[in-house]
Amino acid sequence: ADAPASGEAVYQLEYGRKVRRAAVQGLTVTQSAGSVAVDTGAVQFDVDKLGRLTVRPFESPWQTSATEAAGGNLREASSEAELTVEESGPLRAVLKVVTSLVAEDGRKPLRIEKRIEAYRGLAQLRVHHTIVVQDAAKFTELKRLELLVPQAEAEGWAVSLAEGEPLQLEHPAAS
């Protein structure tokens, strides 16, 4: 059941032998040729064998990148990723994607483990990032960590904040 914040909703309880459960369409998770496609009913996305997350209708994948404190840029590796379906139920799907962040000189100082959570009927995704240092250094200092999300040029997005008004985002071409 769902009701708007500070709103009201009316629910009717039915009982008896003639009452039957209404048909509920769950989310679907389809695996094929090293990729996984998910449809929540409200949003569709896929993760390919390189670990790239693409949300429809966009054709560009979401990308994680970082800038080291010394100024070097790190990008997600363009080699095959480790892709695991950790949960595939009627209400929630969880995908785990493991790739390396690669420096311009070919070093792979960091491994990134992303968990993508999707819920039936919701047009939102949760993307958790775990950064693991995988070279000889015990610590790595980052100046910036980014998740680049494609956006239609004509549309703006609003990001809900824990407190206060939503943060309005605009496409760089619109400003």
Side-chain angles (χ1 to χ4, degrees):
D2 196 8
S6 301
E8 293 183 15
V10 176
Y11 300 99
Q12 182 175 344
L13 177 63
E14 296 180 352
Y15 61 93
R17 294 181 190 265
K18 293 183 180 180
V19 175
R20 298 288 175 242
R21 177 184 289 185
V24 176
Q25 183 177 351
L27 60 82
T28 58
V29 177
T30 307
Q31 299 181 56
S32 62
S35 66
V36 178
V38 178
D39 184 347
T40 69
V43 69
Q44 298 80 39
F45 68 94
D46 59 70
V47 179
D48 67 13
K49 64 183 179 182
L50 301 179
R52 297 178 299 198
L53 166 65
T54 304
V55 178
R56 303 293 167 221
F58 304 106
E59 296 300 322
S60 299
W62 295 21
Q63 298 175 346
T64 302
S65 65
T67 304
E68 296 174 297
N73 293 318
L74 306 173
R75 298 273 179 214
E76 284 185 87
S78 58
S79 58
E80 199 158 317
E82 221 179 281
L83 176 57
T84 308
V85 177
E86 291 187 328
E87 188 175 331
S88 176
L91 299 177
R92 180 174 93 142
V94 179
L95 307 181
K96 179 181 178 184
V97 181
V98 180
T99 59
S100 292
L101 286 178
V102 180
E104 294 163 334
D105 61 7
R107 293 178 300 112
K108 296 180 179 178
L110 302 174
R111 182 177 76 234
I112 186 161
E113 298 177 2
K114 290 187 279 191
R115 280 192 173 74
I116 304 161
E117 294 181 17
Y119 293 86
R120 181 187 79 202
L122 295 182
Q124 65 186 33
L125 301 176
R126 283 190 179 145
V127 182
H128 303 271
H129 286 75
T130 302
I131 308 295
V132 179
V133 177
Q134 64 181 10
D135 62 6
K138 288 186 177 183
F139 300 98
T140 297
E141 189 174 338
L142 296 177
K143 183 177 181 180
R144 172 179 288 157
L145 179 65
E146 298 176 313
L147 176 61
L148 304 173
V149 179
Q151 176 182 340
E153 289 186 29
E155 300 175 22
W157 283 13
V159 177
S160 300
L161 301 176
E163 297 177 5
E165 294 295 316
L167 176 63
Q168 296 295 324
L169 303 177
E170 292 182 5
H171 193 279
S175 46

